[in-house]
Amino acid sequence: MLSRIKKYLRFTRRKPVITRRQDHTISRELIDRDALKVLYRLNQAGYTAYLVGGGVRDLLLGRKPKDFDVSTDAHPHQIKELFRNCILIGRRFRLAHIRFSNKIIETSTFRKPGSHGPDTDAETPDKNTKHKRSNTFGTPEEDARMRDFTINGLFYDIENFTVIDHVGGQKDLKRRLIRCIGEPRLRFPEDPVRMLRAIRFASRLGFTIEKKTLHAIIRFRNELRNAAPARLIEEVYRFFGFGTAQAAFRLLAETKILPLLLPALDEHLRAAPDTHPSLWSCLEVFDAMQTPAGVARETAIFAALTYPLFEARLQQARSTGQQFVQHQELARDVLGDLLGTLPVPRRVIDSLARAFDAQRRFENPKGKFSKKRFVMQSTFADALFVRELVLRARGEDTAEIRQWTRMREQFLRSEAQPADDCASESPVSPEKTPAKRRRRRRRRKPAPATSKPAV
Ligand code: ATP
Ligand code: MG
């Protein structure tokens, strides 16, 4: 017991490894200008100010950081005093969001282990010192040890441009390892979402998950059932956008997290791994594709995740001899099953159901008039994205995508023209333009009672 305590004390009192400016690759030119402004202003006001987290990690790896976070010993209200563009958020641990025109620099006060009380109880104003006393806020070292993985626990000090490492992050960056800070057996149950974060960083950076960390993920994966669904779906979105979604989902399957996160998808992979296109090819294609303008990112993500299952169910329905299949209904069923565990926004489900349903229109395009109605629909961009994804994932020719896009542009142009033409030089009365005549004719024709599309 005594030796354990000694070991713990040695561990907690270890001196940080400090890397001088000339021995690391972080240059201020690579740091966002607004993040630098925040760091400098805090520093000039007498506070410690570090760039922290993914920003430091990515700069050391020579990658472009997604965002820049700052940590400081200034307390939230002190940060607010320094920045007019600052709002404080969060009830348990108040964070400062410093807003700039197109970004937010998240600025937190150094945390302390177990700092979970409401902020008002935590702070005791002390008028004689610049800093307030607090039982919520900690030292830089405590803050580093509260972070998830060693590669995310590094600080860049704006005062002397050094990198400060309390947790062995620099070594792990070199070894390309995702390793929990502290004991994985405790850190994952404490916050199960960290398991998904481990998978995100391993897949995005091409790193290996260190053995003890990996074992703990497999052992404690069921704890994910206790995580807030909103955080889970946020993490699912974060698997995408770096060209490594396929790698992330393979890791989710290997660690047996997939059945917890998306049970229907896991079942599908077991029952029908060879759908054409397969989940893996859809994800691979997604990784290589840009989401086109007009298609919501969430819709694109869930299209890649759910289309193979929709296709499998469609084939199943056909093989059981069902004469008519309502594609939209089937799509909604599939999406409902698949996304049952995650709070996917209603609008995403609706647009995906319509986009999946529309796929048969690409396969059997009717006359010009019908094509026009199809390409002018507000959901056409989603449908075309799904079409391209599926064609590419099946390894088929995609020339038709350009044709459909051109056709839509032409129709849009021709829609814009008549109004001007009619007003100025057209001999045809504006009441009697061909488009209006057609519309009137359509109104007169009664719509069919039901339109069950044949499979
Ligand atoms: P990304 O490049 O995706 O933004 P990131 O590492 O910056 O990756 P963020 O979610 O922006 O991730 O979080 C910033 C930092 O906050 C992390 O690097 C980590 O140090 C810390 N952090 C975030 N979430 C947790 C968590 N659940 N547990 C412990 N530390 C966390
Ligand atoms: Mg970040």
Side-chain angles (χ1 to χ4, degrees), residues 310 314 318 325-331 356-357 360 453-455:
F310 170 72
L314 196 60
R318 281 173 178 162
V325 178
Q326 286 284 14
H327 287 222
Q328 273 220 32
E329 243 171 60
L330 184 75
F356 287 0
D357 179 35
R360 63 205 160 88
V455 185

Side-chain angles (χ1 to χ4, degrees), residues 53-54 57-58 66-67 69 146-148 152 191 194 197 200-201 204 231 238:
R57 176 198 70 219
D58 289 346
K66 185 166 82 48
D67 45 33
D69 298 324
M146 287 282 288
R147 293 175 182 273
D148 47 6
N152 289 346
D191 179 3
R194 288 180 187 143
R197 290 176 59 85
R200 159 151 60 102
F201 297 124
R204 194 198 296 172
R231 286 187 74 201
R238 284 169 152 208

Side-chain angles (χ1 to χ4, degrees), residues 71-270:
S71 265
T72 174
D73 59 353
H75 287 194
H77 69 281
Q78 292 166 325
I79 303 171
K80 196 162 167 51
E81 275 166 21
L82 284 177
F83 298 93
R84 266 189 306 143
N85 48 338
C86 166
I87 57 160
L88 299 183
I89 61 151
R91 285 199 320 143
R92 290 171 120 199
F93 185 91
R94 306 204 87 190
L95 266 183
H97 271 185
I98 304 178
R99 289 165 180 265
F100 294 88
S101 57
N102 57 348
K103 68 177 93 73
I104 288 171
I105 304 294
E106 200 171 279
T107 306
S108 61
T109 307
F110 296 132
R111 292 181 192 210
K112 177 176 186 166
S115 51
H116 290 303
D119 206 45
T120 42
D121 296 345
E123 290 197 4
T124 316
D126 183 349
K127 293 206 174 84
N128 299 325
T129 58
K130 190 169 90 172
H131 302 280
K132 283 184 172 186
R133 266 188 278 123
S134 147
N135 50 26
T136 292
F137 303 120
T139 62
E141 179 175 357
E142 283 171 326
D143 182 277
R145 294 194 185 286
M146 287 282 288
R147 293 175 182 273
D148 47 6
F149 305 108
T150 57
I151 58 165
N152 289 346
L154 296 163
F155 298 146
Y156 171 79
D157 187 349
I158 199 65
E159 174 132 14
N160 49 23
F161 317 126
T162 55
V163 171
I164 303 172
D165 183 0
H166 290 277
V167 291
Q170 294 244 54
K171 267 194 200 159
D172 284 339
L173 274 182
K174 289 198 183 95
R175 294 180 193 142
R176 302 177 68 76
L177 279 183
I178 309 293
R179 185 199 305 272
C180 256
I181 296 175
E183 191 47 69
R185 279 182 298 128
L186 306 175
R187 300 305 310 280
F188 287 128
E190 189 179 271
D191 179 3
V193 172
R194 288 180 187 143
M195 301 185 214
L196 302 185
R197 290 176 59 85
I199 285 172
R200 159 151 60 102
F201 297 124
S203 54
R204 194 198 296 172
L205 305 173
F207 279 27
T208 307
I209 302 179
E210 177 268 335
K211 224 161 119 189
K212 228 167 122 187
T213 304
L214 183 65
H215 284 164
I217 290 178
I218 295 169
R219 179 165 163 207
F220 292 104
R221 64 186 187 283
N222 280 314
E223 300 279 338
L224 274 167
R225 293 185 207 276
N226 303 328
R231 286 187 74 201
L232 294 180
I233 196 168
E234 197 47 48
E235 287 301 323
V236 169
Y237 293 146
R238 284 169 152 208
F239 289 134
F240 293 82
F242 293 87
T244 50
Q246 191 199 174
F249 276 81
R250 285 198 187 273
L251 257 177
L252 287 173
E254 275 167 33
T255 49
K256 300 193 171 58
I257 286 179
L258 195 60
L260 298 162
L261 201 60
L262 289 160
L265 192 61
D266 185 70
E267 262 171 46
H268 159 74
L269 281 177
R270 286 167 205 280

Side-chain angles (χ1 to χ4, degrees), residues 253-357:
E254 275 167 33
T255 49
K256 300 193 171 58
I257 286 179
L258 195 60
L260 298 162
L261 201 60
L262 289 160
L265 192 61
D266 185 70
E267 262 171 46
H268 159 74
L269 281 177
R270 286 167 205 280
D274 304 323
T275 44
H276 196 50
S278 71
L279 171 72
W280 304 120
S281 52
C282 281
L283 291 176
E284 189 183 344
V285 166
F286 185 100
D287 282 340
M289 251 174 109
Q290 295 272 357
T291 307
V295 178
R297 196 167 159 263
E298 297 95 322
T299 306
I301 287 173
F302 284 113
L305 279 177
T306 57
Y307 188 82
L309 188 51
F310 170 72
E311 181 75 38
R313 296 254 180 107
L314 196 60
Q315 299 304 339
Q316 204 181 352
R318 281 173 178 162
S319 68
T320 55
Q322 272 190 45
Q323 221 182 350
F324 295 113
V325 178
Q326 286 284 14
H327 287 222
Q328 273 220 32
E329 243 171 60
L330 184 75
R332 278 177 204 283
D333 279 356
V334 169
L335 291 161
D337 287 358
L338 197 63
L339 309 173
T341 41
L342 296 177
V344 181
R346 189 81 249 156
R347 67 183 157 76
V348 173
I349 296 190
D350 287 343
S351 45
L352 275 180
R354 284 198 295 266
F356 287 0
D357 179 35

Side-chain angles (χ1 to χ4, degrees), residues 299-448:
T299 306
I301 287 173
F302 284 113
L305 279 177
T306 57
Y307 188 82
L309 188 51
F310 170 72
E311 181 75 38
R313 296 254 180 107
L314 196 60
Q315 299 304 339
Q316 204 181 352
R318 281 173 178 162
S319 68
T320 55
Q322 272 190 45
Q323 221 182 350
F324 295 113
V325 178
Q326 286 284 14
H327 287 222
Q328 273 220 32
E329 243 171 60
L330 184 75
R332 278 177 204 283
D333 279 356
V334 169
L335 291 161
D337 287 358
L338 197 63
L339 309 173
T341 41
L342 296 177
V344 181
R346 189 81 249 156
R347 67 183 157 76
V348 173
I349 296 190
D350 287 343
S351 45
L352 275 180
R354 284 198 295 266
F356 287 0
D357 179 35
Q359 296 309 300
R360 63 205 160 88
R361 305 286 300 272
F362 291 110
E363 277 153 27
N364 299 310
K366 298 206 181 90
K368 190 176 172 215
F369 177 62
S370 167
K371 271 188 194 161
K372 179 173 177 182
R373 272 214 299 172
F374 177 44
V375 301
M376 299 301 272
Q377 277 169 2
S378 58
T379 50
F380 180 73
D382 291 340
L384 192 66
F385 170 77
V386 174
R387 178 70 174 163
E388 184 172 357
L389 181 92
V390 171
L391 285 177
R392 286 215 211 175
R394 286 188 188 140
E396 289 174 15
D397 186 22
T398 56
E400 70 170 78
I401 302 298
R402 273 189 304 281
Q403 288 161 10
W404 284 106
T405 310
R406 224 174 295 131
M407 192 190 302
R408 181 173 154 87
E409 283 163 2
Q410 275 167 7
F411 281 134
L412 278 173
R413 247 180 276 130
S414 70
E415 281 275 290
Q417 262 169 8
D420 295 346
D421 294 351
C422 291
S424 55
E425 56 218 58
S426 169
V428 184
S429 138
E431 294 302 312
K432 289 181 183 166
T433 58
K436 291 219 166 141
R437 248 184 263 133
R438 270 201 303 272
R439 245 176 270 144
R440 222 175 303 131
R441 233 182 290 140
R442 222 180 307 144
R443 251 182 266 135
R444 263 185 258 133
K445 227 199 256 171

